[in-house]
């Protein structure tokens, strides 16, 4: 993105499904867990690469379902960074980082919204905020490799299967995710606990476990959505 080709771009700051906020999950990372767990379950999904797993915030039970997003609103005080950064992303250019923008994203406009560049080419306050957010997100996601590797070293990741019966009698299953094996975590010896603590992974593991209490809230949101949709 540059101030010549994209000088007229504006960003609509609304939230909701009509603004592209329909994700069922989004990536997160240990330094963000404290904010995320206040509203969302944090689980692992398989990556298909050498890292094997990545932590994600869970917004729904089936693909394309976001129980926190209405058409024009996001119903939670904290929006995870990987959602808040839309329509922007960060890419590599040699040893440097570049900001990319998805020109087809519903938040991008040339007619309405907040400008990215000032009249004479300088960055707007919004773009400066975007740059800071993307850098924090990039650095945070980079930390996931060490976190996951440490958990795998101690066999602390286990599959999560959840059977859900909704108020209307229908049955649903949450499949394909994993979580912390809290029994094995509690049984670790002092040296292993000290290692995890030293790197900040012990608190992160406990935060992931604690976040599962938000599954009850997610189920209640699902019940409400089903009742409204009929």
């Amino acid at each position: 993105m540059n101030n010549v080709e994209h000088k007229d771009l504006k960003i609509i700051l609304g939230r909701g499904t009509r603004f592209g906020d329909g994700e069922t999950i989004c990536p997160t990372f240990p330094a963000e867990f404290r904010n995320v767990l206040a509203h969302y379950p944090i689980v692992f999904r398989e990556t298909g690469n050498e890292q094997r797993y990545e932590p994600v915030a869970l917004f729904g039970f089936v693909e394309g379902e976001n129980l926190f997003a209405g058409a024009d609103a996001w119903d939670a005080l904290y929006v995870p960074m990987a959602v808040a950064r839309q329509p922007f992303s960060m890419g590599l250019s040699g040893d440097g980082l570049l900001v990319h923008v998805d020109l087809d994203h519903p938040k991008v406009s040339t007619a309405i919204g907040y400008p990215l560049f000032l009249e004479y080419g300088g960055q707007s306050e919004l773009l400066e905020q975007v740059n800071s957010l993307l850098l924090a997100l990039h650095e945070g996601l980079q930390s996931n490799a060490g976190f996951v590797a440490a958990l795998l070293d101690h066999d602390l990741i286990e599959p999560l299967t959840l059977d859900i019966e909704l108020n209307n009698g229908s049955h649903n299953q949450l499949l394909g995710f994993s979580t912390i094996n809290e029994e094995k975590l509690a049984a670790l010896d002092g040296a292993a606990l000290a290692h995890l603590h030293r790197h900040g992974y012990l608190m992160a593991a406990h935060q992931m476990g604690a976040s599962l209490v938000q599954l009850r809230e997610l189920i209640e949101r699902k019940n409400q959505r089903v009742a409204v949709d009929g």
Side-chain angles (χ1 to χ4, degrees), residues 123-217:
Q123 293 186 0
S124 69
E125 182 178 352
L126 173 61
L127 185 52
E128 291 178 353
Q129 293 172 354
V130 167
N131 289 337
S132 297
L133 174 63
L134 288 175
L135 183 59
L137 178 61
H138 174 76
E139 293 176 346
L141 294 178
Q142 294 298 305
S143 73
N144 279 338
F147 175 52
V148 170
L151 297 180
L152 290 173
D153 283 345
H154 298 291
D155 194 26
L156 294 177
I157 298 178
E158 65 175 359
L160 172 66
T161 300
L162 184 66
D163 293 305
I164 306 161
E165 182 177 357
L166 300 180
N167 291 343
N168 67 357
S170 66
H171 290 265
N172 300 260
Q173 277 194 322
L174 181 66
L175 300 171
F177 297 102
S178 299
T179 188
I180 300 292
N181 186 318
E182 294 187 330
E183 289 186 5
K184 290 184 177 180
L185 179 62
L188 291 179
D189 61 27
L193 290 172
H195 176 265
L196 292 175
H197 175 70
R198 185 164 58 250
H199 291 86
Y201 301 150
L202 182 60
M203 178 177 290
H206 283 302
Q207 288 172 332
M208 282 197 72
S211 77
L212 294 186
V213 70
Q214 299 296 354
L215 285 169
R216 292 186 300 218
E217 170 69 14

Side-chain angles (χ1 to χ4, degrees), residues 14-21 66 68-74 225:
R15 295 236 164 263
T17 53
R18 77 182 184 97
F19 298 112
D21 292 331
N66 187 329
F68 293 88
D72 297 285
W74 185 285
R225 183 73 60 89

Side-chain angles (χ1 to χ4, degrees), residues 17-29:
T17 53
R18 77 182 184 97
F19 298 112
D21 292 331
E23 305 94 338
T24 303
I25 59 174
C26 81
T28 183
F29 51 89

